[in-house]
Amino acid sequence: DTGVSQNPRHKITKRGQNVTFRCDPISEHNRLYWYRQTLGQGPEFLTYFQNEAQLEKSRLLSDRFSAERPKGSFSTLEIQRTEQGDSAMYLCASSLALHRGTGLPDTQYFGPGTRLTVL
Amino acid sequence: ELKVEQNPLFLSMQEEKNYTIYCNYSTTSDRLYWYRQDPGKSLESLFVLLSNGAVKQEGRLMASLDTKARLSTLHITAAVHDLSATYFCAVDDSGTYKYIFGTGTRLKVLA
């Protein structure tokens, strides 16, 4: 397995446009997370899925943001009516609910991110 | 609301010296993770700490967790240039699997 992949890697858009990002997790991972990271800050939790169910969603995620994981595999994050403040790196991560060896919560494996620039 | 604080935010250290990065969090949690991020790259998992008193070591890095003090430490022994990166701790918010990251510690090891 090649790890978590994200597409596109870079996106430049004009304010007011809609954008969609895709994340392909590690194949057997049932948990998938989305984060936003701005320069000099730690990743900021946006939402997470277990299989196809969206279980947590940050209050920071405004109505303009929506995420889906329709078949419990890949996920999309859509931002509608983008604003300049949405410019950031959007990171996806995946994990097993429980590590096979320990039976304890597993760590997250991060993708390379999608860098969004809103002009 | 869970808050996660790291200190120092910036650390410039000489090779072969030892130092410790601290991660404090504000609410009860027994799951803490450490990650490394190189400039322009994504995050790489370093340690998973899942119980009070947990200690993990890998090479020159050692991480520990004290859930009663709500504190984790990342200790660097005999630093080398390759350890230059930003280090983040992340805490599970009350067992929800919603992970809150610290602001990061940017480490620079000087030759």
Side-chain angles (χ1 to χ4, degrees):
Chain A
D1 191 17
T2 56
V4 179
S5 62
Q6 293 187 245
N7 287 287
R9 296 291 305 277
H10 303 274
K11 179 71 177 179
I12 299 174
T13 190
K14 293 183 179 178
R15 190 178 54 182
Q17 298 294 304
N18 300 343
V19 295
T20 300
F21 310 141
R22 176 176 169 129
C23 171
D24 287 89
I26 293 172
S27 58
E28 69 264 28
H29 284 184
N30 48 10
R31 289 219 171 109
L32 187 148
Y33 300 80
W34 285 101
Y35 294 89
R36 178 173 67 186
Q37 187 177 27
T38 53
L39 197 63
Q41 300 296 316
E44 182 179 39
F45 174 86
L46 295 178
T47 189
Y48 99 89
F49 294 84
Q50 177 146 331
N51 300 313
E52 65 275 9
Q54 188 173 19
L55 297 186
E56 281 284 341
K57 188 173 174 180
S58 170
R59 289 191 298 272
L60 299 168
L61 214 63
S62 74
D63 291 343
R64 298 184 297 106
F65 287 72
S66 62
E68 293 183 340
R69 194 183 184 198
K71 296 182 180 179
S73 56
F74 74 91
S75 176
T76 58
L77 177 69
E78 181 183 16
I79 309 173
Q80 296 182 325
R81 304 182 304 280
T82 52
E83 302 172 356
Q84 287 184 323
D86 296 331
S87 295
M89 178 75 85
Y90 289 83
L91 295 168
C92 174
S94 71
S95 74
L96 289 169
L98 298 174
H99 188 275
R100 287 204 178 92
T102 64
L104 296 171
D106 197 12
T107 190
Q108 296 169 71
Y109 296 85
F110 280 81
T114 294
R115 182 168 296 283
L116 173 66
T117 302
V118 182
L119 302 175
Chain B
E1 182 180 312
L2 172 62
K3 294 192 186 304
V4 181
E5 295 183 346
Q6 288 182 235
N7 70 82
L9 298 182
F10 299 96
L11 177 55
S12 181
M13 55 191 298
Q14 300 288 327
E15 279 190 326
E16 299 300 316
K17 297 292 186 183
N18 304 333
Y19 211 85
T20 301
I21 298 170
Y22 298 89
C23 173
N24 290 87
Y25 53 97
S26 61
T27 66
T28 302
S29 179
D30 57 2
R31 297 179 198 153
L32 190 140
Y33 303 79
W34 283 96
Y35 295 88
R36 168 184 172 144
Q37 187 174 37
D38 292 293
K41 305 288 187 181
S42 193
L43 283 83
E44 173 191 353
S45 177
L46 293 175
F47 299 109
V48 179
L49 303 169
L50 298 175
S51 61
N52 186 40
V55 177
K56 296 280 184 73
Q57 182 164 5
E58 180 73 33
R60 300 173 188 270
L61 301 178
M62 183 173 71
S64 65
L65 177 61
D66 181 342
T67 59
K68 294 178 182 177
R70 299 177 185 172
L71 171 69
S72 179
T73 60
L74 180 66
H75 187 72
I76 302 156
T77 301
V80 293
H81 180 71
D82 285 352
L83 291 179
S84 297
T86 300
Y87 293 85
F88 293 99
C89 62
V91 180
D92 180 340
D93 188 355
S94 304
T96 62
Y97 298 100
K98 174 182 172 183
Y99 294 95
I100 307 301
F101 280 74
T103 49
T105 296
R106 190 180 301 174
L107 171 66
K108 186 171 183 179
V109 180
L110 305 172

